[in-house]
Every structure is written in C-alpha cells, then in structure tokens.
Amino acid sequence: MLAGATLKSAYYSQLGRTMKIRLNKTMVAVATSALLLVSVPVAGITAAANATAKPTYTIGYQGPLSGGNAQLGLNMEYGVQLAIQQANASGKYKFKLRFQTLDDQGDPSVAPGVAQGAVANTNLVAIVGPSFSGATAASMPYYGPANIAMVSASATRTSLTDSTANPNNNTFFRVVADDSVQGPADAKYLVTTKKIKKLYVVDDGSSYGQGVASQVSTSAIALGATVTTASVPGTTQCQAGTGSTSEYSAAATTVVGSHATGLFYGGYYCDLGLFLGALKTAGYHGLIMSDDGALSNSLISGTTPRSAANNVLISCACATSTNAAFNVAYDNLAGFPATNATYAAEAYDAANVIIKAMSQLTTISRGGIVAKLKSSGFSFKGITKTIKFQHNGNISGSAIYVSKVVNGVIKQLGLE
Amino acid sequence: MGGFIHYFSSHFQTLGQEFWPLLVGGLANGFLYGMVAVGYTLVYGVLRLINFAHSEVFMAGGFASFFVMQHLVGTSSPNGISSVLYILIGILVGGLTGSLIAMAIERVAYRPLRKRNSPKLAYLISAIGASYFLFNFAGKEFGRYSVSMAQPYTNHPLFTIFGAGVQMYDIIIFIAGALMLFGLDRLVTLTKLGRSIRAVAQDAETASLMGVNIDRTIALTFMIGGALGGAAGFLYGMNVGVVYTMGFTPALKAFTAAVLGGIGNLRGAVLGGLILGTMESFSVAFLAPSYIDVTAFGILVLVLLVRPTGIMGERLGRSA
C-alpha cells in the first residue's frame, strides 16, 4: 500500500517536473530572443567573439514524447540530455553540442514527417533513436540517404538490420540485442526454467509485439511446449491501435478456458496493463511474462487494480543501471530515478557513443560519424556494457535480463 | 471441408466452456454501451443531429470521478456499505460532470449555430471540433498516460451461474445501468419535462407554439444524456482506468448500438447496446480477438443495409 502511494506521488512529481522543464525551455527561448533583439546594435562585437568560439553541432533524440507510450520516450530523452549536458560541461571537446527532441509518438505514420524535419536541419549530425521499431523502419528512408547515424537504444526488431527488408538501413546502429536474441531466451526461460508445458502467446498486433511473440512461439514449440497464439490489437485507449478495451475481458476468458499455465504477452505496458486487469477478473492464476516494451512503472500505475500487475515477469536486453554517479545525475535532471527508467542508461550510452565518435574525427560530418561507428577499431565502454558494433549495426554480444513485479515495484532478478 | 468442420466443432467446444462467462462479460459491456447510446439517441430525437462530442462527456465523467476516488479512497480497499457509498458518489460525480460538459457543448457548439439556422454539416464539424478540443485539453492537463482508478470495491466472484463466476464488477454495472436506464425511461414517459422532450422531438415548431421552451428543453436533453454518459465514464474507468483518449472507441460503439436499436428510440438504444456487447464478446470465441471490432462495425453496416431504421426504429420523427 505504501508502495502504491509512493509510486503515485512519484508519478505526479514527475509530471510536475516535466512541466517545469517545458516552462524553463519556454523562458529560455523568450530570454534568448530578447537577447538577440538587444544584441542587434552590437552585432559587430558579437561576431568577433564568435570567431574563437567552438563550433556547435546538434544531436537529436527521436522517440515517443507524447501519446500513450510517452514514458519510455521520456526515460530516454533525459538520458540523452544528460550525456550532452555533461559533454558540454566537461569542456574537453573541441565542439559544443545542442540537443533537439524529435517526437514521433512511436507511430510509424508520424515518424517520416519528423525524420524529414530532422534531415532538413543541416546542423544535426546524428540522432539517438528512433525508439520504436515501426517508427525506425519508417524513418530509415530519410536518415539513410542523408547519411545520418541512428543509434537506437531500444528498437529491437530483428529485420531492422536486414538490408533486404530495409534497404536504407546503412546508417542504423543499436546498443541493445535484437528480438532474435530476446524471444528464444524468453521461451527457454519459460519452458526450461519455469517448466511451462502449455503456453498461451498473445501479441498486440504491433510490428514489435508480433516480432517478439512469434519468436517466443517458435522457440517454445521447438522446446516441446504446446502453444496457442492470439492477436489482440492494441487499443485507442493506449493510442497504439484501433482496438477497444472490451476485447480484453473476452480474450482473458479464452485464456482461462485454454488451461494454459503460462502466458507470454508481446507488446507494450499500456495495453498489457488493461489485459492484466481482465486476466485477474477472469480468474487466471498462471505465470505471465512480457517483453521490454512492458518494462515501465506505468505498467503498474495503469493496471486496474494495481495488484493485478504483481508477479508479472518482464524480460529485457537492458540492465538496470548500477552506476551510482549516473543514477544521481539522472534523478536530478529527470526528477525520477534512473532505476525505474527503462532504457535511460542505454540512451545515455548511445549518446556518448556518438560523442566519442565525434571526438575522434578531425572534420565532423554526418557521414564521418557513420564511418567511425562502423570502423572495426571503434569501441566504447558505457555504463551498461562495452559497445562495439557489428558491420550491420547490431551490437556485438549481449545478454537478456529478467525482472519481476513484487508488491508494485519492478525488481531485476538477474540473467535469464 | 473436414478442416472446416473441425474448426467449427473446436470453436463450439470452447464456446461450451465459456458461454456463460462470455455472456456475462458481454452484457456488462452492453449496459455501458446502452448508457452512452441513450445520449446519442436523446439528442438525435430533439435535434436530428449526432452529437459527436458525446465521447468527451464520457471521458470527463471518467476523469472527474477518478480524482474524487483518488481523494476519497486513496490506497484503502473499501468493501461492504462503504463501497456502495463510494460507488454512488462516483456515479453522482461522473453524472454531474457529464451533464455540465454536455451543457457546455450545447451552449458553445450547438446553440449559436441553431440561432443562425446553419446547415447540418456545420453542427457536425463544430461537434467534432469541440471533441478534439476537449480530449486534447484533458491530455494536456492530466497527462497522457493511462492511470488506474482507486478501486471503491474489492472485485471477486459473487456467485456462479452454470459454472461461470459472476464478478462484483459485472453486478455493479448491471444494477447501476439498469436502474439509471429505467429511471430515464420513466422520466421521458411520465414527467412534464419528458413530455416537452417528446413534443420537441415530434415537431419543434408546434411545441414552441404550445408553450414549450425549446432552448431549455434542448439544453436539458443534452444534460440528461450527459449525466448517463458521465456516469458510464465512471463505471468504465473503474474497471480499466482513465486516459484522455478513453472516450473514442466506446462512444463509437455506443453510436453503433444506438443505430442498431433504432436511432431516436430510447429502449432501442439499450437493446442495441446489449446485443452489440454480447455479439462482440462471442466473436472472440468464434473467430479471434482481433475480429471484435470487425464484428461490431459489420453489424452496423448490415443494419444500415437491411433495416436502416434499426431494430425498434419507428418512424424517425416520432421517437425519443
């Protein structure tokens, strides 16, 4: 109960903080334009001062900053922002960095417009993101030809690094393992470790959810489990699709009727929260596991009743940050702890990877960063892991972690 | 062919096990659709217009009761008589907020156009505009995350019919929905206000000649529909949580229910809601969860093709 209250207050303080930051940004913008107006008569002096100043480059972050999945986007936005602030404050680079947010709502239909805008900004040299797989695929036709490196902290769809499926993926990198690693590892965990013989696999109809879910089904069948699959499209309530919440109670009834002892959900926290409430009402008592899309505290605040989220297992290629300095700095900036912010540490690493590549270039350019990231000698020791890219943009070597909701709090259990 | 038969026999088998739970769940949804559908039907009765901002009345009721429940219930888990009290408060708060928002919509998006004798298309657009304004405003003010409501009751199976556990939640919806819809039916049939509403629905001009205050009647019609829509927002939010976009799909379904039952016909709207909720629920067992909306809107298309006036649709002008 205490946990519920703390969570709620954390949620609201976070909202407050977000608003405060927005307000600060507005004030900065107003102040800057006022300064510009004042500086018109002394333009000559300002220009002289600028001659010795460091050149400024923009790094973008593309992900969902509004809509039902905004929490994941905000987690990453603060990670990138922190890396950039620290780089600027350190003074050890021969350039200054500017930060630009690119809100694609995680939506493949919104992403192309956002990407086109980013490409048009000639000062932008690289981006962290996009965060969602669907939006990433939709953005590639713009970033690829423009030679802008996309370093995603969370897009795990396997085919993103397949150049037949996505011909413009030449500038795509990711600092996490893809679904071809996560799905089979989850299936092995359910069937071998948890001894589930009858598994029900549900996806949310999104390209990400279906990708993970089909990997889990295929691997679970190969390991000898009986698998039933169903696709329950995401709801407008979560802004991820066109379905309605009424389908969850009926879907939960069929899950109970199937006598499955394990349920895997491929999708995001918002719809999973709705489904968990329905499963509890329908009287489902088996094991429930989901993917990294569900790894968010909003899963618990969005589940009615909150207790229905207890004991849910969540797998992720990401690890919770154990870096104390990062955790303190992140909490100060974001107003909520890094340990609760999925992919925050990875986004921080992704931004620092770009910064390191830039620091090793004599002339900084979009193409130069891509070439540097692809070069075999390049590696970066981040706070999550040592990052080194394969030629197709995938990270070399990675592990899957599993967490569990215990009394309304997500606790990392360790490696699967 | 053999595969086909096997497909159906296996689905009938699941249906056998799940018939009652699916029926109970479907009827509970149906009551919610019905409560929202009467809002559409009432407004259609007096204005011959579809109020496309009605979804936001539902959302507003959900949010208002969310804040009240958070304040009153917090993290406690009430049961027994205190649950009943909290639920009554939730319904009242949701209903009151719903009727106020509906009144505001009438004032801002309908009355000025009515005074100017604008074409019907103008009302449609101003209602959609009001809807977009309201849900985006809610998203800005209350955040864009789905949040769960503090539960004023403890959900558990109360009793079983043919092996299907009937949940507390379903019972709350049945009782609340049935009482409110019955009350509305009596109000429209027996009271003076109900008579004015029916008079305006039949012939607004003649009604005004007979001394019916048209403006007041239309405003009250919006408010009555809004009260039920707002209360439905509370009952819905209690089970699935609230978010600024929560009104869209349920309201579209309720509109379907209103057309299915015969738009302009109150009892038809309720019947349409119950049929729609049940059909949706069974489509999950028969087909797949992803077919649920295909079923709902397939029904709408069929009704419009075969019987455009709906199941209970009388002559359009004489209903409400």
Side-chain angles (χ1 to χ4, degrees):
Chain A
M1 269 176 206
L2 194 68
T6 326
L7 204 85
K8 225 184 284 175
S9 65
Y11 169 72
Y12 284 106
S13 74
Q14 180 201 326
L15 274 187
R17 186 66 73 98
T18 318
M19 271 180 235
K20 220 186 296 168
I21 287 168
R22 296 250 160 84
L23 194 69
N24 285 346
K25 273 185 194 158
T26 324
M27 285 169 70
V28 167
V30 170
T32 320
S33 42
L35 271 177
L36 276 175
L37 282 177
V38 173
S39 65
V40 170
V42 287
I45 305 165
T46 332
N50 273 347
T52 49
K54 293 172 177 180
T56 303
Y57 299 100
T58 303
I59 292 181
Y61 164 69
Q62 183 179 329
L65 297 171
S66 61
N69 293 304
Q71 179 68 62
L72 270 173
L74 286 172
N75 292 347
M76 289 183 257
E77 184 202 326
Y78 288 121
V80 179
Q81 212 178 329
L82 180 62
I84 289 176
Q85 279 182 6
Q86 288 178 346
N88 283 339
S90 74
K92 65 178 180 182
Y93 298 108
K94 52 186 189 295
F95 49 82
K96 281 268 175 196
L97 292 170
R98 199 180 290 146
F99 178 50
Q100 187 186 356
T101 54
L102 305 156
D103 179 11
D104 66 10
Q105 295 168 30
D107 185 337
S109 65
V110 177
V114 171
Q116 277 170 297
V119 170
N121 177 1
T122 48
N123 191 252
L124 184 135
V125 287
I127 64 157
V128 174
S131 296
F132 283 15
S133 293
T136 304
S139 303
M140 280 175 172
Y142 305 96
Y143 290 120
N147 232 347
I148 295 178
M150 304 170 261
V151 185
S152 181
S154 60
T156 53
R157 192 201 297 175
T158 311
S159 67
L160 288 176
T161 49
D162 174 0
S163 54
T164 321
N166 294 290
N168 291 304
N169 67 357
N170 53 307
T171 64
F172 177 71
F173 303 89
R174 53 182 153 203
V175 300
V176 288
D178 64 81
D179 297 335
S180 70
V181 180
Q182 190 182 2
D186 287 354
K188 187 161 172 275
Y189 185 75
L190 285 167
V191 179
T192 314
T193 313
K194 291 288 175 185
K195 313 247 178 287
I196 302 291
K197 295 271 166 282
K198 219 169 171 189
L199 183 66
Y200 207 100
V201 178
V202 177
D203 69 65
D204 68 348
S206 75
S207 50
Y208 161 75
Q210 286 184 325
V212 185
S214 73
Q215 294 269 3
V216 169
S217 329
T218 317
S219 310
I221 292 167
L223 290 165
T226 318
V227 176
T228 317
T229 59
S231 187
V232 187
T235 63
T236 39
Q237 176 129 10
C238 296
Q239 275 214 324
T242 52
S244 60
T245 45
S246 55
E247 70 212 28
Y248 285 114
S249 63
T253 307
T254 53
V255 171
V256 174
S258 77
H259 302 293
T261 51
L263 171 76
F264 184 87
Y265 183 80
Y268 301 103
Y269 61 83
C270 182
D271 273 299
L272 176 60
L274 298 173
F275 194 22
L276 289 176
L279 283 166
K280 189 179 168 120
T281 306
Y284 177 75
H285 298 296
L287 196 70
I288 301 169
M289 186 174 197
S290 188
D291 49 40
D292 48 309
L295 188 55
S296 163
N297 280 324
S298 296
L299 171 68
I300 296 143
S301 61
T303 302
T304 310
R306 287 172 188 229
S307 61
N310 280 338
N311 298 322
V312 170
L313 295 166
I314 304 165
S315 75
C316 191
C318 58
T320 307
S321 161
T322 48
N323 184 310
F326 169 77
N327 288 354
V328 170
Y330 187 91
D331 197 348
N332 282 339
L333 177 68
F336 55 92
T339 43
N340 289 344
T342 311
Y343 289 126
E346 278 82 0
Y348 177 75
D349 275 357
N352 277 321
V353 161
I354 295 173
I355 295 168
K356 175 157 189 194
M358 288 172 75
S359 74
Q360 293 182 354
L361 292 170
T362 37
T363 335
I364 293 170
S365 66
R366 290 174 171 181
I369 295 172
V370 174
K372 181 48 94 181
L373 293 174
K374 278 194 192 289
S375 68
S376 55
F378 183 82
S379 84
F380 171 74
K381 193 175 181 321
I383 59 168
T384 58
K385 53 185 101 65
T386 298
I387 293 160
K388 192 172 157 42
F389 296 111
Q390 301 173 32
H391 194 72
N392 63 7
N394 275 338
I395 189 160
S396 318
S398 196
I400 305 289
Y401 289 82
V402 64
S403 304
K404 185 179 183 179
V405 181
V406 182
N407 289 327
V409 180
I410 299 174
K411 289 232 157 76
Q412 186 168 303
L413 299 180
L415 286 163
E416 276 186 346
Chain B
M1 194 63 197
F4 186 73
I5 289 167
H6 174 75
Y7 175 85
F8 270 96
S9 67
S10 73
H11 277 73
F12 272 113
Q13 206 181 346
T14 29
L15 191 64
Q17 290 166 0
E18 296 155 13
F19 180 83
W20 293 104
L22 287 173
L23 182 68
V24 169
L27 284 177
N29 267 328
F31 267 111
L32 284 179
Y33 290 155
M35 286 174 71
V36 182
V38 292
Y40 283 107
T41 255
L42 276 169
V43 169
Y44 185 84
V46 293
L47 286 181
R48 298 290 176 280
L49 289 167
I50 304 299
N51 177 13
F52 276 108
H54 196 53
S55 48
E56 286 10 284
V57 168
F58 177 82
M59 182 268 297
F63 264 106
S65 52
F66 165 78
F67 288 116
V68 170
M69 285 301 126
Q70 191 178 39
H71 185 72
L72 291 179
V73 180
T75 51
S76 67
S77 32
N79 52 34
I81 195 77
S82 60
S83 284
V84 176
L85 193 70
Y86 285 139
I87 288 166
L88 280 177
I89 293 173
I91 289 174
L92 278 176
V93 169
L96 198 66
T97 314
S99 62
L100 288 176
I101 294 286
M103 187 181 77
I105 291 170
E106 198 270 330
R107 272 294 166 91
V108 176
Y110 282 86
R111 193 172 294 187
L113 296 177
R114 209 149 45 75
K115 297 288 173 213
R116 244 175 282 147
N117 248 336
S118 305
K120 292 214 161 178
L121 199 59
Y123 292 87
L124 185 75
I125 292 167
S126 74
I128 292 175
S131 165
Y132 267 71
F133 169 79
L134 286 170
F135 83 73
N136 281 300
F137 187 68
K140 193 223 155 269
E141 282 302 310
F142 309 134
R144 295 177 196 270
Y145 312 106
S146 175
V147 278
S148 67
M149 204 182 277
Q151 290 224 298
Y153 67 102
T154 315
N155 197 28
H156 55 86
L158 274 187
F159 54 87
T160 57
I161 31 170
F162 303 101
V166 176
Q167 304 283 334
M168 184 70 133
Y169 170 73
D170 300 323
I171 294 296
I172 293 169
I173 301 228
F174 286 153
I175 295 176
L179 281 181
M180 275 185 267
L181 291 168
F182 180 75
L184 175 69
D185 189 65
R186 294 293 88 190
L187 178 93
V188 172
T189 320
L190 298 178
T191 65
K192 189 161 174 253
L193 171 63
R195 201 158 57 225
S196 342
I197 292 178
R198 280 180 291 134
V200 173
Q202 263 181 29
D203 187 338
E205 214 167 306
T206 313
S208 83
L209 290 174
M210 300 291 171
V212 176
N213 183 340
I214 304 260
D215 279 347
R216 188 171 157 273
T217 307
I218 290 176
L220 283 170
T221 308
F222 267 85
M223 289 177 74
I224 294 167
L228 268 90
F234 163 69
L235 293 172
Y236 177 89
M238 196 167 68
N239 193 32
V240 296
V242 292
V243 71
Y244 71 113
T245 52
M246 66 187 274
F248 184 78
T249 316
L252 205 57
K253 295 285 178 64
F255 172 60
T256 308
V259 174
L260 177 63
I263 186 106
N265 186 315
L266 271 187
R267 292 176 192 177
V270 180
L271 182 70
L274 293 176
I275 292 176
L276 187 71
T278 318
M279 295 285 276
E280 274 192 352
S281 195
F282 282 123
S283 73
V284 170
F286 264 118
L287 301 160
S290 43
Y291 277 97
I292 198 160
D293 290 348
V294 179
T295 311
F297 296 111
I299 292 172
L300 178 63
V301 172
L302 265 182
V303 168
L304 290 176
L305 279 177
V306 178
R307 194 180 158 83
T309 51
I311 297 169
M312 291 177 68
E314 294 142 277
R315 202 149 63 77
L316 284 178
R318 298 191 58 90
S319 34

